[in-house]
Amino acid sequence: MKRPGRGGRRRALFVALALAVSSCATLPEAREPEAGWAGLLPPDDLAYIGIDVTDNRPVVKSALAVVDPDGALPPHALDRVKRLLLGVAKGPSGEIRYALVLLGSFPPGLVDFRLSLDPGWSRAEGGYWQNRHSGLQVALPGRSVMLVSNGGIPGLLARARGTERGLVLSPATRERFEASDIALYVANPGRLAGAPPGTFPVSSLMVSLTRSGLGAYGAEASIATSSDRTARAYAVILRLLSAESVRGASALLSTLGPAGDLLASLPLSGARVEVEGSGILVSGVEMTEESIDGLIAKIGGGAAWSLD
């Protein structure tokens, strides 16, 4: 039997590619949950990060390096990402778990075809791909969403299909999380420190960053506390930091454990601190890409909380 020449093999490859790409037309499209795309993330993660990819690619690379340090994800697919949503949690053995939602335009057939040619990836029964070396998992529930995790892809798929409930943000928090160039949300800072429920003075922390120039961002932090009195007390700490009275402020922030470490890592010199009831708003903060990279690495690497 005559073997096909180079031209025949090339035509066969293009036919296979065309068939793979055309297969995406039969896939159901993932619908945005009522809670927004952040609703695909697990509801009980320790921290959440949202990044608008368009003008913030250097920061996106830092976030992806946390999830995929070996560069196993298909690079051409990542070029199509418009927004990145990341949930970070602690696994049962103390390991860090990631849930990543990438929003953009992904031809599922093309991505599947590329992964099928890579011996490092294999198709799992649950309808997703798994990397043989890193354990990274990838699924495409539709043209506009790519899901990535290092162990939690079944839950991501269940939320994409509407069979599980995910993260639900208040209307104000959701608006800031979705509109910011970069957003960091910690729903229950007490869990980072291992504090018993109801004993931690800060109930949530939201940091939103808006690009103000090349490599520069303006930042605001919104902190919800347990009472008006607590808000006034911690506003004093933050004002000490803004006035660079670091020694006294650092000692007081240490009572917040890892959440205090996160606040201390913000460059608060000259910041404005306002109290509204039990909430604190910190504004007038300037951050660089380098300081944001460090913050993401601290959170994603588990250095922002105790793993005991």
Side-chain angles (χ1 to χ4, degrees):
M1 180 177 178
K2 185 178 178 180
R3 298 178 62 186
R6 181 179 299 177
R9 290 195 297 270
R10 185 176 298 170
R11 284 193 297 273
L13 178 62
F14 282 132
V15 169
L17 177 59
L19 289 173
V21 173
S22 66
S23 69
C24 68
T26 63
L27 291 176
E29 178 57 62
R31 295 183 179 179
E32 181 176 3
E34 185 178 344
W37 287 116
L40 297 186
L41 296 173
D44 54 356
D45 276 0
L46 295 172
Y48 302 91
I49 296 171
I51 306 176
D52 184 351
V53 174
T54 307
D55 295 320
N56 306 289
R57 288 192 176 274
V59 178
V60 171
K61 290 181 179 179
S62 300
L64 289 177
V66 169
V67 180
D68 182 30
D70 300 324
L73 290 173
H76 297 291
L78 298 178
D79 291 340
R80 298 172 173 269
V81 178
K82 295 181 179 179
R83 189 161 185 85
L84 174 154
L85 306 174
L86 172 65
V88 184
K90 185 171 64 173
S93 302
E95 74 279 10
I96 303 300
R97 288 288 182 92
Y98 308 108
L100 182 64
V101 177
L102 300 173
L103 303 175
S105 177
F106 313 104
L110 180 59
V111 175
D112 285 346
F113 181 75
R114 289 185 181 277
L115 291 177
S116 68
L117 295 179
D118 188 334
W121 290 89
S122 60
R123 186 83 175 180
E125 290 185 2
Y128 58 88
W129 292 89
Q130 182 153 336
N131 189 274
R132 302 176 192 275
H133 308 293
S134 66
L136 203 66
Q137 302 165 325
V138 174
L140 290 109
R143 294 174 180 268
S144 61
V145 183
M146 179 185 290
L147 307 175
V148 182
S149 183
N150 61 345
I153 206 75
L156 278 168
L157 280 170
R159 289 183 288 276
R161 293 163 180 161
T163 58
E164 280 190 14
R165 185 179 176 87
L167 174 67
V168 177
L169 302 173
S170 70
T173 300
R174 175 181 169 180
E175 181 180 1
R176 295 182 67 186
F177 192 81
E178 293 179 346
S180 303
D181 279 301
I182 303 169
L184 163 67
Y185 177 63
V186 182
N188 187 350
R191 292 178 59 216
L192 301 184
T199 64
F200 203 69
V202 175
S203 55
S204 70
L205 169 64
M206 175 78 184
V207 180
S208 56
L209 299 105
T210 303
R211 191 176 181 86
S212 58
L214 185 61
Y217 294 81
E220 287 188 353
S222 179
I223 306 164
T225 74
S226 56
S227 67
D228 295 8
R229 180 179 179 181
T230 300
R232 291 192 296 270
Y234 282 101
V236 171
I237 301 175
L238 295 170
R239 289 182 180 125
L240 285 173
L241 279 177
S242 69
E244 298 186 341
S245 302
V246 178
R247 177 176 295 182
S250 296
L252 292 170
L253 275 181
S254 65
T255 63
L256 288 176
D261 293 340
L262 286 179
L263 287 172
S265 67
L266 298 176
L268 295 177
S269 177
R272 295 184 297 276
V273 180
E274 304 171 72
V275 178
E276 297 181 357
S278 59
I280 306 171
L281 178 64
V282 182
S283 59
V285 177
E286 294 292 328
M287 296 187 71
T288 63
E289 286 178 354
E290 290 76 15
S291 58
I292 296 169
D293 289 347
L295 190 62
I296 290 175
K298 179 183 289 188
I299 295 168
W305 55 77
S306 170
L307 294 179
D308 296 336

